[in-house]
Amino acid sequence: MDIGLLLLRLALAALLLGHAAQKSLGWFRGAGLAGSATMFHGLGFRPARPMVVLASAAETAGAALILLGLLTPLGAAAVIGTMTVAAAANAGKGLWAHHGGYEAALVYALIAAALGFTGAGAYSLDAPLGMSAPPVWAGAGAVVLGLLATAPVLLRRRAVLRGAAAAD
């Protein structure tokens, strides 16, 4: 089981780090900071450039904690939050990624949530701290914290989109 958790953590962290680098650095055929800010602006995330920086930083921090297996529920919360916002932004396109939907964001958030409940396993920095298998409340707390953190961002986006619709 510990090897499985390690592989899951490594895969999720690598994908999230790439996802963040696309937005912030333009790596892996990403839009970079300027292009991502234009996209964020169009999606109603304002101010767009700071929102790109915030999203990239949260994804990177969550990925790093998950990669290291350090404070895994906290890393999971960061990933759950950022991926919930990403999923909300693409919800109108449906589930499937090939139509621009929220499939990937949902999968990343669910994997992070699972890791929040299972912990990072024996091959982690949590293990020597006695936190390799956290209590259920830590996983539930990761989910709740991640979802609560989305509220200001999504409420602000909703207000921006309503204002834009009213102006039309």
Side-chain angles (χ1 to χ4, degrees), residues 31-137:
L33 191 55
S36 295
T38 299
M39 179 187 69
F40 272 45
H41 184 86
L43 292 169
F45 295 110
R46 314 271 169 76
R49 192 175 187 97
M51 293 302 292
V52 172
V53 171
L54 177 64
S56 296
E59 288 171 8
T60 300
L65 291 173
I66 287 171
L67 176 70
L68 298 170
L70 178 64
L71 304 175
T72 302
L74 182 61
V79 173
I80 291 164
T82 56
M83 290 300 110
T84 299
V85 171
N90 294 312
K93 298 174 186 171
L95 173 64
W96 303 112
H98 72 282
H99 290 294
Y102 60 94
E103 174 186 4
L106 175 64
V107 169
Y108 294 168
L110 289 172
I111 292 170
L115 288 168
F117 281 98
T118 64
Y123 305 116
S124 68
L125 294 179
D126 282 344
L129 301 173
M131 299 174 11
S132 62
V136 171
W137 64 260

